[in-house]
Amino acid sequence: MLKKFDPNIMAFLCNWCSYAGADLTGTSHFHYPPNLKAIRVMCTGRINPLMVAAAFRHGADGVLISGCHPGECHYMEGNYLARRKIFVFRNLLEFVGINPERLQMSWVSASEGKKFSNVVKEITEKIKKLGPLTTFDE
Amino acid sequence: MDKEKLVNEAKAVFSREDVACLIGYGKDSIGFRVSPIFIRTRDEADQLFFSPLCSLSLVNYLTLEKGVLLEGNKETGGEKIAIVARGCDSRALIQLFAERGIPREQVVILGVPCRGTIDLKKIEGKFPDARNCTEVTEAEGMYYIRFDNESHEVPKEELLADHCKHCAFPNPLVYDVLLEDLVDSKGAAYSDIEEMEKMALEERHEYWKDKFARCLRCYACRNACPLCYCDDCILERVSPQWVNRSVNLSENLMFHLARSYHLAGRCAGCGECERVCPVNLPLMLLNRKLEKDIKNIFEYTAGSNLDDKPLFASFNPKDPNDFIF
């Protein structure tokens, strides 16, 4: 029997909003697919897009970056800076032939446990449809 | 370009300013090649020249003269460096002033309005036997080429370097002395990029796969770039190791993603990376793709304004948000 594709999704969650939001998802017993591997960062503004590229190269099929809603960053503007960088990097990925849908971003606050579980479900479905990332296999 | 004017202005710079060194173009000893020359006395200025063959950017040499520019001038006592700069070079200079904190007045800029430069690979391919006394002048869309008692006329389009075809900034944006009248700018053209954007994702992937598979990872594109100046380059760092040393498709892709992303919102469009590439990778396509997006969406052009904040150090609350959950 053909093995079902189980995607590897790497998530970079901001300490102040999305990581706490993910925690709430757990304590509230909302279910979400176990494909997500979470890494806590202090702020989405800290994420160097090379970390995303490195995640892809080391076997991730998708990457999620999640942080505070615009205007609610613990450091005032980190998420705005992240949005700019990730937007440009998605365009670059698309230009070299990697589907930009593999790099997703979301705003999840510490009180949005339900939203976090929905985001993860949706992204996992998306990546399942796209199939494994084979660009970095050779 | 009038050689006499260039030499006179260079001499004037030496007598007027406290200039330690002037970086300009000089003739090389063979074929169509041009060398950077470093002039330290007034009399040496006679070696200077400028022609459409001057396709290399001199800005890189500016930061190599670290002793004078970046170390606070303790020993040299506030001496300056003069440099011959075309439009693209002036953009690179503006970026350097902003990023590295080089005081603007430390550099004396001899601005050259540029009508486009010749791709050395193209002209050497056409005249492989040219050895001595080559000379190229431009008039009305033609290049007049003379060497070894021969003379030829070639349409400009055939020899023009690719990045010069799309140049939006032929005139220096910052200068102390202007050596010629300003030329008309055609404005930025991205027709080739738009053509590539229309390709299917897989098709584009195949295109780049084919290109990146050829990359030798010689790092010449990085070394020649006037804006890649970090002493500790992440492309070579071992811990953390972003890019492995092995030369294969995935590492090459990682390398080129990192290289082009680091130039997002910084690339001056001088085409040095493409010029020095031994396997002719179209690296400027990547750089110009980002330049185009950044221009359209963030209304930002690298090196166009001395007072601009760097692209990724600034933001607008109205930046695109529709790709985010």
Side-chain angles (χ1 to χ4, degrees):
Chain A
M1 209 174 85
L2 205 68
K3 201 167 166 267
K4 227 176 98 200
F5 167 56
D6 224 6
N8 250 328
I9 300 172
M10 192 61 87
F12 295 98
L13 309 178
C14 114
N15 178 57
W16 305 102
C17 294
S18 296
Y19 198 80
D23 211 15
L24 186 66
T25 315
T27 49
S28 319
H29 294 272
F30 295 131
H31 288 260
Y32 65 82
N35 301 68
L36 203 79
K37 283 147 186 93
I39 293 178
R40 183 173 62 146
V41 291
M42 287 311 281
C43 178
T44 45
R46 185 258 176 273
I47 294 163
N48 180 344
L50 277 188
M51 292 161 135
V52 177
F56 284 141
R57 182 167 73 78
H58 288 289
D61 301 300
V63 172
L64 167 68
I65 291 169
S66 191
C68 311
H69 286 271
E72 294 173 13
C73 178
H74 187 78
Y75 308 100
M76 315 310 280
E77 55 191 45
N79 52 0
Y80 284 123
L81 297 172
R83 182 168 66 178
R84 226 172 219 212
K85 287 191 274 190
I86 298 305
F87 179 83
V88 172
F89 193 65
R90 271 170 66 105
N91 286 4
L92 179 62
L93 285 181
E94 187 175 17
F95 197 65
V96 299
I98 297 172
N99 197 325
E101 293 293 309
R102 290 187 188 276
L103 171 52
Q104 295 287 351
M105 209 170 169
S106 68
W107 304 136
V108 172
S109 81
S111 60
E112 292 177 322
K114 186 76 200 159
K115 183 178 175 185
F116 186 78
S117 93
N118 290 341
V119 163
V120 178
K121 276 179 200 157
E122 208 168 316
I123 286 170
T124 311
E125 276 315 303
K126 262 189 186 171
I127 306 293
K128 267 186 184 162
K129 258 185 217 142
L130 290 174
L133 178 69
T134 54
T135 315
F136 289 95
D137 285 357
E138 293 166 56
Chain B
M1 160 144 204
D2 193 1
K3 180 183 159 111
E4 210 171 306
K5 170 128 200 227
L6 173 65
V7 170
N8 287 341
E9 289 292 354
K11 286 185 174 170
V13 161
F14 269 104
S15 55
R16 191 187 64 211
E17 304 265 5
D18 190 14
V19 171
C21 173
L22 186 147
I23 309 171
Y25 298 98
K27 282 196 173 154
D28 207 324
S29 53
I30 188 161
F32 298 105
R33 288 177 185 256
V34 169
S35 288
I37 51 171
F38 300 81
I39 293 169
R40 291 178 196 276
T41 61
R42 202 180 132 85
D43 297 334
E44 288 172 348
D46 289 316
Q47 303 164 30
L48 283 169
F49 94 117
F50 189 87
S51 84
L53 289 173
C54 298
S55 58
L56 69 152
S57 169
L58 301 172
V59 181
N60 218 355
Y61 298 103
L62 192 73
T63 41
L64 292 176
E65 288 273 326
K66 277 186 190 140
V68 183
L69 264 184
L70 297 170
E71 307 281 300
N73 312 306
K74 277 177 212 126
E75 282 151 37
T76 50
E79 284 179 318
K80 302 175 179 182
I81 293 188
I83 187 167
V84 177
R86 306 158 297 167
C88 46
D89 302 335
S90 74
R91 286 178 71 196
L93 285 169
I94 289 176
Q95 279 299 122
L96 285 179
F97 293 145
E99 292 174 11
R100 306 208 72 178
I102 300 171
R104 163 71 186 89
E105 56 280 2
Q106 278 287 286
V107 184
V108 180
I109 303 171
L110 303 178
V112 185
C114 171
R115 292 187 167 77
T117 56
I118 290 176
D119 187 337
L120 193 67
K121 288 164 188 160
K122 289 182 188 170
I123 195 169
E124 285 187 340
K126 213 168 177 66
F127 305 106
D129 300 324
R131 284 287 174 271
N132 304 310
C133 313
T134 53
E135 199 182 298
V136 177
T137 50
E138 182 197 334
E140 286 154 20
M142 299 291 274
Y143 284 128
Y144 296 90
I145 301 161
R146 282 181 294 282
F147 58 89
D148 304 330
N149 306 323
E150 289 180 40
S151 74
H152 297 269
E153 284 177 31
V154 182
K156 191 174 168 179
E157 283 300 306
E158 278 183 37
L159 299 179
L160 197 63
D162 288 338
H163 65 273
C164 292
K165 288 180 185 165
H166 310 289
C167 178
F169 295 94
N171 295 312
L173 298 171
V174 54
Y175 53 82
D176 296 287
V177 184
L178 193 64
L179 295 171
E180 248 183 351
D181 295 333
L182 296 176
V183 298
D184 291 333
S185 163
K186 329 185 265 298
Y190 297 108
S191 52
D192 50 340
I193 306 280
E194 279 154 13
E195 209 55 47
M196 277 195 74
E197 282 169 354
K198 281 185 206 142
M199 288 157 79
L201 202 65
E202 290 74 30
E203 210 181 331
R204 219 162 34 230
H205 184 210
E206 286 304 313
Y207 175 88
W208 286 111
K209 220 169 124 176
D210 182 45
K211 302 286 183 229
F212 291 151
R214 294 207 318 254
C215 178
L216 308 167
R217 293 267 296 287
C218 64
Y219 292 70
C221 45
R222 180 204 63 178
N223 289 355
C225 179
L227 290 161
C228 280
Y229 48 67
C230 300
D231 289 332
D232 181 12
C233 175
I234 60 123
L235 297 170
E236 278 177 16
R237 202 179 285 169
V238 179
S239 174
Q241 190 163 40
W242 294 101
V243 184
N244 282 350
R245 289 295 169 92
S246 51
V247 180
N248 57 36
L249 199 57
S250 69
E251 296 308 320
N252 289 358
L253 176 59
M254 191 70 192
F255 172 86
H256 285 286
L257 280 177
R259 193 202 64 84
S260 51
Y261 184 76
H262 273 189
L263 288 169
R266 302 175 61 236
C267 176
C270 65
E272 280 292 276
C273 45
E274 248 179 33
R275 187 181 70 80
V276 298
C277 182
V279 290
N280 296 331
L281 298 184
L283 298 172
M284 280 303 284
L285 277 181
L286 290 168
N287 296 350
R288 283 176 49 246
K289 153 75 180 167
L290 293 182
E291 185 185 88
K292 167 180 161 281
D293 288 353
I294 287 163
K295 190 177 158 204
N296 290 345
I297 288 150
F298 303 117
E299 289 167 0
Y300 180 93
T301 306
S304 61
N305 191 344
L306 269 169
D307 302 321
D308 274 356
K309 251 186 128 180
L311 176 77
F312 289 140
S314 51
F315 66 90
N316 182 342
K318 294 199 183 77
D319 281 346
N321 195 54
D322 47 7
F323 67 99
I324 300 173
F325 276 103

